[in-house]
């Protein structure tokens, strides 16, 4: 019994000690992340479910809850400003059209069934930055963050560590899944990755958090937003500790698929329009992703100009 208490106290202390620097760091790094037009700490979680009640609305109408839609579209990069009103104006219509184009829906600007159904699919919390409809020249559908942030060319060996506020899966499982996901990116890019001890300095830090966890992008309970990661060279990758994370079972939220996706952000890839790409923003249990596809590989190689 005594040894169990000692062990759990030690685990708690390790979590506490390793978590504190992240919180401090997150405040000093605010200016480096790529999410614009969002004010940290004035940003309550989005309610995806409530969006369904807006089905059928179109330009010119006023309806309670349209302000939630504006927050959603602002959060994910389709509306530059959110006026907080429940009026469906021209700006909102064009944002809806842009969203519909990116998700291969009829770009009507109306809140039809397909659009509202699409909006409640669980997804990554990173905005669909750099996506402007199907306009790519060479047919590729990957994208980069605004300004193409990336790791300096001499920095191809990146270290990572784990620092979580909660532990929905054991550290051993998390460590093993992350190692496999890093290996997949390593196979197709110039990067090599190495885990370092929790108290060491690292380029990347991965962890589970719940609700408002201090970086201005609160998590929201199960489903909705599953995780997010910051563009280079920030290095933070956060997973929503309220999800039912699964490993190797095609149900609920597949830890490997989401970690593989979020690592792409750490390296500088934004969302792809290719539904089969690891970097596609949405997650569905039916489409678990274990390997990078050509679009992901083309994206990382284009960003770092490797053949
Ligand atoms: Zn993402
Ligand atoms: Zn976060």
């Amino acid at each position: 019994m005594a040894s169990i208490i000692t062990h759990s106290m030690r685990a708690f202390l390790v979590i506490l000690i390793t978590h504190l620097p992240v919180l401090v760091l997150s405040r000093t790094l605010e200016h480096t992340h790529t999410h614009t037009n969002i004010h940290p700490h004035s940003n309550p979680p989005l309610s995806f479910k409530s969006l369904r009640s807006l089905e059928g609305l179109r330009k010119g109408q006023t309806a309670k809850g349209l302000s939630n839609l504006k927050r959603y579209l602002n959060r994910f990069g389709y509306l530059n400003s959110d006026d907080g009103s429940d009026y469906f104006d021209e700006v909102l219509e064009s944002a809806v059209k842009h969203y519909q184009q990116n998700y291969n829906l009829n770009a009507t600007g109306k809140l039809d069934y397909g659009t509202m159904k699409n909006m409640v699919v669980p997804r990554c919390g990173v905005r669909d930055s750099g996506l402007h409809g199907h306009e790519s020249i060479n047919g590729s559908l990957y994208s980069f963050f605004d300004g193409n942030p990336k790791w300096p060319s001499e920095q191809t060996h990146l270290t990572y560590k784990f620092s979580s506020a909660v532990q929905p899966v054991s550290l051993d499982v998390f460590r093993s899944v992350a190692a496999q996901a890093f290996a997949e990116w390593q196979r197709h890019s110039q990067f090599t990755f190495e885990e370092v001890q929790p108290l060491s300095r690292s380029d990347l830090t991965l962890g589970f958090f719940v609700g408002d966890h201090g970086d201005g992008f609160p998590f929201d309970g199960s489903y909705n937003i599953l995780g997010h990661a910051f563009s280079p060279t920030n290095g933070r990758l956060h997973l929503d500790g309220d999800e039912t994370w699964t490993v190797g079972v095609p149900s609920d939220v597949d830890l490997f698929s989401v970690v593989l996706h979020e690592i792409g952000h750490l390296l500088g890839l934004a969302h792809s329009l290719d539904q089969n790409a690891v970097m596609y923003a949405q997650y569905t249990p039916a489409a678990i992703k274990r390997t990078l596809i050509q679009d992901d590989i083309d994206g990382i190689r284009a960003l770092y100009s490797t053949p």
Side-chain angles (χ1 to χ4, degrees), residues 123-128 145 227-229 261-262 265 269-271 278-282:
R123 59 163 290 154
C124 169
V126 173
R127 65 204 289 261
D128 297 341
F145 290 96
H228 56 223
H261 173 98
E262 300 301 340
H265 289 318
L269 288 182
H271 288 143
V278 161
M279 293 316 295
Y280 191 63
Q282 294 182 331

mmCIF file of all heavy atoms in Angstrom, residues 123-128 145 227-229 261-262 265 269-271 278-282, ligand 1:
data_model
loop_
_atom_site.group_PDB
_atom_site.id
_atom_site.type_symbol
_atom_site.label_atom_id
_atom_site.label_comp_id
_atom_site.label_asym_id
_atom_site.label_seq_id
_atom_site.Cartn_x
_atom_site.Cartn_y
_atom_site.Cartn_z
ATOM 1 N N ARG A 123 -13.533 17.328 -35.504
ATOM 2 C CA ARG A 123 -12.447 17.833 -36.332
ATOM 3 C C ARG A 123 -11.289 18.345 -35.483
ATOM 4 O O ARG A 123 -11.384 18.435 -34.265
ATOM 5 C CB ARG A 123 -12.953 18.949 -37.250
ATOM 6 C CG ARG A 123 -13.557 20.150 -36.511
ATOM 7 C CD ARG A 123 -13.647 21.359 -37.420
ATOM 8 N NE ARG A 123 -12.315 21.866 -37.698
ATOM 9 C CZ ARG A 123 -11.978 22.564 -38.784
ATOM 10 N NH1 ARG A 123 -12.880 22.845 -39.693
ATOM 11 N NH2 ARG A 123 -10.746 22.993 -38.948
ATOM 12 N N CYS A 124 -10.240 18.700 -36.183
ATOM 13 C CA CYS A 124 -9.078 19.319 -35.567
ATOM 14 C C CYS A 124 -9.411 20.777 -35.253
ATOM 15 O O CYS A 124 -10.154 21.425 -35.988
ATOM 16 C CB CYS A 124 -7.928 19.234 -36.557
ATOM 17 S SG CYS A 124 -6.479 20.202 -36.115
ATOM 18 N N GLY A 125 -8.855 21.298 -34.170
ATOM 19 C CA GLY A 125 -9.145 22.667 -33.762
ATOM 20 C C GLY A 125 -8.377 23.731 -34.530
ATOM 21 O O GLY A 125 -8.639 24.923 -34.371
ATOM 22 N N VAL A 126 -7.445 23.311 -35.373
ATOM 23 C CA VAL A 126 -6.658 24.284 -36.142
ATOM 24 C C VAL A 126 -7.508 24.835 -37.281
ATOM 25 O O VAL A 126 -8.255 24.100 -37.927
ATOM 26 C CB VAL A 126 -5.376 23.616 -36.696
ATOM 27 C CG1 VAL A 126 -4.633 24.544 -37.643
ATOM 28 C CG2 VAL A 126 -4.478 23.189 -35.545
ATOM 29 N N ARG A 127 -7.400 26.137 -37.509
ATOM 30 C CA ARG A 127 -8.222 26.744 -38.564
ATOM 31 C C ARG A 127 -7.788 26.255 -39.946
ATOM 32 O O ARG A 127 -6.641 25.851 -40.148
ATOM 33 C CB ARG A 127 -8.161 28.269 -38.481
ATOM 34 C CG ARG A 127 -6.803 28.860 -38.765
ATOM 35 C CD ARG A 127 -6.664 30.227 -38.128
ATOM 36 N NE ARG A 127 -7.485 31.224 -38.800
ATOM 37 C CZ ARG A 127 -7.022 32.085 -39.700
ATOM 38 N NH1 ARG A 127 -5.753 32.071 -40.038
ATOM 39 N NH2 ARG A 127 -7.811 32.964 -40.262
ATOM 40 N N ASP A 128 -8.739 26.286 -40.884
ATOM 41 C CA ASP A 128 -8.457 25.830 -42.246
ATOM 42 C C ASP A 128 -7.691 26.924 -42.986
ATOM 43 O O ASP A 128 -8.147 27.456 -43.991
ATOM 44 C CB ASP A 128 -9.765 25.487 -42.973
ATOM 45 C CG ASP A 128 -10.498 24.339 -42.293
ATOM 46 O OD1 ASP A 128 -9.858 23.595 -41.525
ATOM 47 O OD2 ASP A 128 -11.710 24.185 -42.526
ATOM 48 N N PHE A 145 0.484 26.993 -43.480
ATOM 49 C CA PHE A 145 -0.040 28.083 -42.662
ATOM 50 C C PHE A 145 0.286 29.417 -43.342
ATOM 51 O O PHE A 145 1.202 29.489 -44.169
ATOM 52 C CB PHE A 145 0.603 28.056 -41.268
ATOM 53 C CG PHE A 145 0.153 26.888 -40.427
ATOM 54 C CD1 PHE A 145 0.904 25.725 -40.363
ATOM 55 C CD2 PHE A 145 -1.025 26.958 -39.696
ATOM 56 C CE1 PHE A 145 0.494 24.643 -39.587
ATOM 57 C CE2 PHE A 145 -1.440 25.882 -38.915
ATOM 58 C CZ PHE A 145 -0.685 24.725 -38.865
ATOM 59 N N GLY A 227 -8.287 17.835 -31.017
ATOM 60 C CA GLY A 227 -6.918 18.207 -30.679
ATOM 61 C C GLY A 227 -6.500 19.406 -31.497
ATOM 62 O O GLY A 227 -7.247 19.863 -32.370
ATOM 63 N N HIS A 228 -5.330 19.943 -31.207
ATOM 64 C CA HIS A 228 -4.771 21.008 -32.036
ATOM 65 C C HIS A 228 -3.262 21.049 -31.830
ATOM 66 O O HIS A 228 -2.742 20.492 -30.857
ATOM 67 C CB HIS A 228 -5.420 22.374 -31.747
ATOM 68 C CG HIS A 228 -5.350 22.823 -30.314
ATOM 69 N ND1 HIS A 228 -6.402 23.404 -29.653
ATOM 70 C CD2 HIS A 228 -4.349 22.771 -29.396
ATOM 71 C CE1 HIS A 228 -6.058 23.697 -28.411
ATOM 72 N NE2 HIS A 228 -4.814 23.322 -28.222
ATOM 73 N N ALA A 229 -2.583 21.657 -32.774
ATOM 74 C CA ALA A 229 -1.135 21.812 -32.637
ATOM 75 C C ALA A 229 -0.751 23.119 -33.298
ATOM 76 O O ALA A 229 -1.467 23.616 -34.169
ATOM 77 C CB ALA A 229 -0.401 20.645 -33.289
ATOM 78 N N HIS A 261 -1.914 13.286 -37.562
ATOM 79 C CA HIS A 261 -2.400 14.538 -38.148
ATOM 80 C C HIS A 261 -1.751 15.752 -37.472
ATOM 81 O O HIS A 261 -1.221 16.644 -38.145
ATOM 82 C CB HIS A 261 -3.929 14.594 -38.008
ATOM 83 C CG HIS A 261 -4.543 15.896 -38.419
ATOM 84 N ND1 HIS A 261 -5.108 16.095 -39.658
ATOM 85 C CD2 HIS A 261 -4.676 17.080 -37.762
ATOM 86 C CE1 HIS A 261 -5.561 17.341 -39.742
ATOM 87 N NE2 HIS A 261 -5.313 17.966 -38.598
ATOM 88 N N GLU A 262 -1.783 15.767 -36.151
ATOM 89 C CA GLU A 262 -1.290 16.950 -35.432
ATOM 90 C C GLU A 262 0.221 17.134 -35.609
ATOM 91 O O GLU A 262 0.715 18.266 -35.612
ATOM 92 C CB GLU A 262 -1.658 16.876 -33.943
ATOM 93 C CG GLU A 262 -3.171 16.809 -33.650
ATOM 94 C CD GLU A 262 -3.973 17.992 -34.188
ATOM 95 O OE1 GLU A 262 -3.385 19.053 -34.461
ATOM 96 O OE2 GLU A 262 -5.203 17.842 -34.354
ATOM 97 N N HIS A 265 0.952 19.390 -38.414
ATOM 98 C CA HIS A 265 0.901 20.827 -38.093
ATOM 99 C C HIS A 265 2.212 21.285 -37.464
ATOM 100 O O HIS A 265 2.719 22.359 -37.772
ATOM 101 C CB HIS A 265 -0.246 21.120 -37.124
ATOM 102 C CG HIS A 265 -1.610 20.995 -37.734
ATOM 103 N ND1 HIS A 265 -1.910 21.465 -38.995
ATOM 104 C CD2 HIS A 265 -2.770 20.458 -37.241
ATOM 105 C CE1 HIS A 265 -3.194 21.224 -39.254
ATOM 106 N NE2 HIS A 265 -3.737 20.607 -38.210
ATOM 107 N N LEU A 269 2.509 21.818 -41.977
ATOM 108 C CA LEU A 269 1.397 21.610 -42.900
ATOM 109 C C LEU A 269 0.096 22.100 -42.257
ATOM 110 O O LEU A 269 -0.150 21.852 -41.078
ATOM 111 C CB LEU A 269 1.244 20.129 -43.252
ATOM 112 C CG LEU A 269 2.318 19.534 -44.159
ATOM 113 C CD1 LEU A 269 2.014 18.066 -44.451
ATOM 114 C CD2 LEU A 269 2.401 20.313 -45.469
ATOM 115 N N ALA A 270 -0.717 22.797 -43.043
ATOM 116 C CA ALA A 270 -2.063 23.154 -42.596
ATOM 117 C C ALA A 270 -3.004 22.088 -43.171
ATOM 118 O O ALA A 270 -2.554 21.014 -43.562
ATOM 119 C CB ALA A 270 -2.414 24.558 -43.059
ATOM 120 N N HIS A 271 -4.296 22.377 -43.256
ATOM 121 C CA HIS A 271 -5.229 21.331 -43.676
ATOM 122 C C HIS A 271 -5.259 21.115 -45.184
ATOM 123 O O HIS A 271 -5.138 22.054 -45.961
ATOM 124 C CB HIS A 271 -6.632 21.651 -43.153
ATOM 125 C CG HIS A 271 -6.732 21.457 -41.675
ATOM 126 N ND1 HIS A 271 -7.466 22.261 -40.852
ATOM 127 C CD2 HIS A 271 -6.141 20.528 -40.876
ATOM 128 C CE1 HIS A 271 -7.338 21.841 -39.599
ATOM 129 N NE2 HIS A 271 -6.534 20.793 -39.589
ATOM 130 N N VAL A 278 -4.045 12.524 -44.516
ATOM 131 C CA VAL A 278 -3.915 12.602 -43.064
ATOM 132 C C VAL A 278 -4.201 14.032 -42.608
ATOM 133 O O VAL A 278 -4.767 14.260 -41.546
ATOM 134 C CB VAL A 278 -2.489 12.153 -42.647
ATOM 135 C CG1 VAL A 278 -2.132 12.631 -41.250
ATOM 136 C CG2 VAL A 278 -2.386 10.634 -42.735
ATOM 137 N N MET A 279 -3.848 15.022 -43.451
ATOM 138 C CA MET A 279 -4.009 16.421 -43.066
ATOM 139 C C MET A 279 -5.408 16.978 -43.340
ATOM 140 O O MET A 279 -5.630 18.177 -43.208
ATOM 141 C CB MET A 279 -2.935 17.290 -43.740
ATOM 142 C CG MET A 279 -1.515 17.012 -43.255
ATOM 143 S SD MET A 279 -1.348 16.826 -41.446
ATOM 144 C CE MET A 279 -1.801 18.471 -40.886
ATOM 145 N N TYR A 280 -6.360 16.130 -43.701
ATOM 146 C CA TYR A 280 -7.760 16.565 -43.815
ATOM 147 C C TYR A 280 -8.255 16.909 -42.411
ATOM 148 O O TYR A 280 -7.928 16.216 -41.443
ATOM 149 C CB TYR A 280 -8.586 15.427 -44.418
ATOM 150 C CG TYR A 280 -9.985 15.808 -44.849
ATOM 151 C CD1 TYR A 280 -10.187 16.748 -45.861
ATOM 152 C CD2 TYR A 280 -11.099 15.217 -44.258
ATOM 153 C CE1 TYR A 280 -11.467 17.081 -46.266
ATOM 154 C CE2 TYR A 280 -12.389 15.548 -44.668
ATOM 155 C CZ TYR A 280 -12.565 16.484 -45.674
ATOM 156 O OH TYR A 280 -13.836 16.814 -46.074
ATOM 157 N N ALA A 281 -9.046 17.984 -42.294
ATOM 158 C CA ALA A 281 -9.373 18.526 -40.965
ATOM 159 C C ALA A 281 -10.322 17.656 -40.142
ATOM 160 O O ALA A 281 -10.281 17.675 -38.916
ATOM 161 C CB ALA A 281 -9.980 19.918 -41.114
ATOM 162 N N GLN A 282 -11.192 16.909 -40.833
ATOM 163 C CA GLN A 282 -12.215 16.171 -40.094
ATOM 164 C C GLN A 282 -11.768 14.762 -39.744
ATOM 165 O O GLN A 282 -10.926 14.176 -40.413
ATOM 166 C CB GLN A 282 -13.495 16.079 -40.930
ATOM 167 C CG GLN A 282 -14.154 17.423 -41.151
ATOM 168 C CD GLN A 282 -15.440 17.298 -41.940
ATOM 169 O OE1 GLN A 282 -15.593 16.389 -42.754
ATOM 170 N NE2 GLN A 282 -16.354 18.219 -41.725
HETATM 171 ZN ZN1 LIG B 1 -5.552 19.872 -38.090
#
